[in-house]
Amino acid sequence: MEQLFHLLREGVTASHTIDFVKRNLIRKGFQELLLEDDWNLKEQGKYYVNIYGTGCIAFRVGHMTGGRPVFRIAMAHSDYPNFQIKPNPMIEGKHVARLNVEIYGGMYQKSWLDRPLGIAGRIVVKGENVFTPQILLYKSERPLCIIPSLAIHMDFELNKKGALDVAKELVPLTALSEQGDLLREIADTLQIDKDDILDYELCLYNMENPVLVGLDASMIAAARLDNLTSVGAILTAIEECGEVPENTVDVMAVFNHEEVGSRSGQGADSELLPMVLKKAGESLFQGRFRMSDIIEKSFLLSVDVAHAHHPNYEEKSDLNNRAFMGKGFCIKRSIGQKYGTTPESAAVLKQLCKKYNIPYTIAVNKTGIAGGSTLGPIVTSHMPMPCADIGMPVLAMHSASELGAASDYEALKAVLRAFYN
């Protein structure tokens, strides 16, 4: 749990999440590979590929005896719904300075009101030449803005209203001065000249620390449970699993941009993962490798949070298939192919759970409630291998602060370790 809480505090952007993942992999003996280099992979080797600083693919290689290769892949995403700061960030007003922002992903808007918010992301400055700018990570260590709500006295209908006007009601307040200058603040923190900043990718983040909640301290309340619980569980599993089975490559894949559709160079809806697997396979099998060889026997786990059953909204859950918090990780099913789980892939997970005594639930969205989609169907449309969708059940998904059960996170780690072993 300590590593998860550390990740929840550090992973305030996709870039910071991957930086955390990379540092942990290096400590565990993983070697960085560059896509443009020739790879000479070794049996029992541990490797990772850094994808634009916002994604990562890591893998461990078993003993190769000449049989057909098997890839066991668990994947998650590094992004989450937030406020992205636009170019020309400052909105100057009478005696105040505000920030020009836009919503990234499908957030629950009202949950972000009245919370001290930090700012973090990537700052792009001049590099050795124009095609290789330098990337600096930035994270404010104190709150730099807040989105104040309107007092109930000013509008007694506030509690009855739904969506907010993003351009009016969700504009962050950052200074009680007309001279506020965010880029100057960032430049001073990074000890660079403001004029050196060529561009940036910055977002607001909830600065509240994760905490254990309840009389029994059984629940985790934290920002970014979606999807850092999945990233943390996969990272722990691939670092701590035992010897990799023969002719097997265990893979961890973390993609960016899932919350906005995955259609990007760092997203799952690209040729990125097949390209990396093909390059690894060709190195290990010296020209005797074809992608079609791995499809039938390999297995893909799409790991993302699930909708927990809400005790205050019984009517929002399916009658017979509910993900109760505290009852284990969730196997996610969807008749409409929102998830990648099939009867065959569900059977694989059930056998693993029975063998290792891992608790789990099975959840299906209530008829008429579509729910979200995951990386599973996206990736299997490029690589049609057996796939299952799993995750930790949470409440308040896409809120500025989400809620899950500590024991469910332990169950998720356990099934991922079993999967890799």
Side-chain angles (χ1 to χ4, degrees), residues 26-37:
I26 291 172
R27 280 198 295 266
K28 293 294 184 177
F30 283 73
Q31 174 187 344
E32 183 172 9
L33 300 172
L34 301 178
L35 286 175
E36 63 264 28
D37 290 347

Side-chain angles (χ1 to χ4, degrees), residues 358-420:
I358 302 169
Y360 69 93
T361 58
I362 297 176
V364 180
N365 289 333
K366 181 181 178 180
T367 301
I369 298 179
S373 58
T374 67
L375 300 178
I378 292 174
V379 173
T380 54
S381 70
H382 296 268
M383 300 188 306
M385 60 178 59
C387 173
D389 262 283
I390 65 173
M392 173 178 161
V394 300
L395 293 175
M397 190 186 298
H398 285 197
S399 172
S401 182
E402 299 163 325
L403 186 70
S407 61
D408 295 342
Y409 181 69
E410 297 300 328
L412 183 63
K413 288 194 298 183
V415 76
L416 285 162
R417 278 193 292 260
F419 172 70
Y420 282 140

Side-chain angles (χ1 to χ4, degrees), residues 210-380:
V211 293
L212 292 174
V213 176
L215 296 175
D216 53 0
S218 60
M219 295 174 285
I220 305 170
R224 302 175 290 278
L225 293 182
D226 178 7
N227 191 29
L228 294 188
T229 53
S230 301
V231 174
I234 299 172
L235 178 63
T236 298
I238 202 166
E239 288 177 346
E240 296 181 356
C241 66
E243 186 174 339
V244 181
E246 287 187 354
N247 300 317
T248 299
V249 181
D250 287 342
V251 181
M252 169 187 185
V254 182
F255 298 102
N256 194 11
H257 297 147
E258 190 273 345
E259 298 293 358
V260 290
S262 296
R263 293 292 298 272
S264 71
Q266 304 102 292
D269 196 7
S270 70
E271 295 305 312
L272 178 61
L273 182 59
M275 179 175 61
V276 171
L277 298 187
K278 183 173 184 292
K279 194 172 179 72
E282 289 174 344
S283 174
L284 290 169
F285 293 93
Q286 301 298 314
R288 296 178 288 107
F289 177 82
R290 297 176 300 177
M291 281 295 291
S292 57
D293 293 339
I294 72 171
I295 296 301
E296 184 178 356
K297 298 299 182 183
S298 296
F299 202 98
L300 181 69
L301 281 182
S302 170
V303 192
D304 202 344
V305 292
H307 289 288
H309 173 66
H310 200 308
N312 296 345
Y313 297 91
E314 296 269 350
E315 73 280 4
K316 295 297 183 180
S317 296
D318 184 73
L319 293 175
N320 299 329
N321 303 281
R322 299 178 173 188
F324 289 95
M325 286 198 303
K327 298 300 181 182
F329 79 95
C330 179
I331 301 174
K332 301 156 68 173
R333 299 291 299 270
S334 169
I335 305 303
Q337 301 302 303
K338 294 279 189 176
Y339 309 134
T341 311
T342 65
E344 294 86 352
S345 63
V348 170
L349 290 172
K350 291 176 181 179
Q351 291 178 90
L352 276 178
C353 291
K354 183 176 181 180
K355 180 177 181 180
Y356 293 99
N357 195 29
I358 302 169
Y360 69 93
T361 58
I362 297 176
V364 180
N365 289 333
K366 181 181 178 180
T367 301
I369 298 179
S373 58
T374 67
L375 300 178
I378 292 174
V379 173
T380 54

Side-chain angles (χ1 to χ4, degrees), residues 101 120 182 194 388:
V101 299
L182 174 62
K194 178 184 173 182

Side-chain angles (χ1 to χ4, degrees), residues 31-288:
Q31 174 187 344
E32 183 172 9
L33 300 172
L34 301 178
L35 286 175
E36 63 264 28
D37 290 347
D38 293 329
W39 292 358
N40 183 22
L41 306 186
K42 306 294 184 183
E43 295 181 356
Q44 313 303 321
K46 298 189 289 186
Y47 308 95
Y48 76 92
V49 181
N50 184 5
I51 308 298
Y52 298 112
T54 64
C56 179
I57 299 175
F59 49 95
R60 296 179 57 170
V61 180
H63 179 59
M64 297 296 157
T65 62
R68 180 171 291 183
V70 172
F71 285 81
R72 289 181 181 161
I73 306 163
M75 59 185 183
H77 63 88
S78 57
D79 61 325
Y80 67 97
N82 59 63
F83 289 91
Q84 298 275 340
I85 299 176
K86 297 179 183 179
N88 300 313
M90 304 308 301
I91 303 174
E92 295 181 0
K94 190 172 183 179
H95 307 307
V96 298
R98 297 179 297 162
L99 292 176
N100 191 10
V101 299
E102 185 169 350
I103 289 178
Y104 174 93
M107 67 160 60
Y108 175 46
Q109 298 173 352
K110 291 183 179 179
S111 69
W112 285 78
L113 297 174
D114 306 318
R115 297 178 189 264
L117 302 174
I119 296 176
R122 300 186 298 162
I123 302 298
V124 185
V125 299
K126 185 185 299 185
E128 293 182 0
N129 63 67
V130 296
F131 288 102
T132 57
Q134 183 181 359
I135 307 296
L136 304 177
L137 285 187
Y138 170 77
K139 177 187 175 188
S140 67
E141 297 302 328
R142 61 184 181 88
L144 293 183
C145 58
I146 192 167
I147 306 174
S149 61
L150 183 67
I152 190 66
H153 313 73
M154 305 293 182
D155 186 349
F156 289 111
E157 299 297 314
L158 280 177
N159 289 328
K160 299 179 182 180
K161 292 181 178 179
L164 301 175
D165 184 336
V166 178
K168 175 179 174 62
E169 298 173 283
L170 292 174
V171 181
L173 179 64
T174 192
L176 297 181
S177 165
E178 299 174 13
Q179 306 305 315
D181 190 339
L182 174 62
L183 297 186
R184 171 65 64 192
E185 168 73 21
I186 292 172
D188 290 346
T189 302
L190 296 176
Q191 297 182 331
I192 60 176
D193 291 329
K194 178 184 173 182
D195 292 341
D196 289 340
I197 298 177
L198 300 174
D199 214 320
Y200 56 80
E201 181 180 74
L202 293 167
C203 73
L204 312 188
Y205 72 94
N206 181 4
M207 295 196 71
E208 295 169 322
N209 285 324
V211 293
L212 292 174
V213 176
L215 296 175
D216 53 0
S218 60
M219 295 174 285
I220 305 170
R224 302 175 290 278
L225 293 182
D226 178 7
N227 191 29
L228 294 188
T229 53
S230 301
V231 174
I234 299 172
L235 178 63
T236 298
I238 202 166
E239 288 177 346
E240 296 181 356
C241 66
E243 186 174 339
V244 181
E246 287 187 354
N247 300 317
T248 299
V249 181
D250 287 342
V251 181
M252 169 187 185
V254 182
F255 298 102
N256 194 11
H257 297 147
E258 190 273 345
E259 298 293 358
V260 290
S262 296
R263 293 292 298 272
S264 71
Q266 304 102 292
D269 196 7
S270 70
E271 295 305 312
L272 178 61
L273 182 59
M275 179 175 61
V276 171
L277 298 187
K278 183 173 184 292
K279 194 172 179 72
E282 289 174 344
S283 174
L284 290 169
F285 293 93
Q286 301 298 314
R288 296 178 288 107

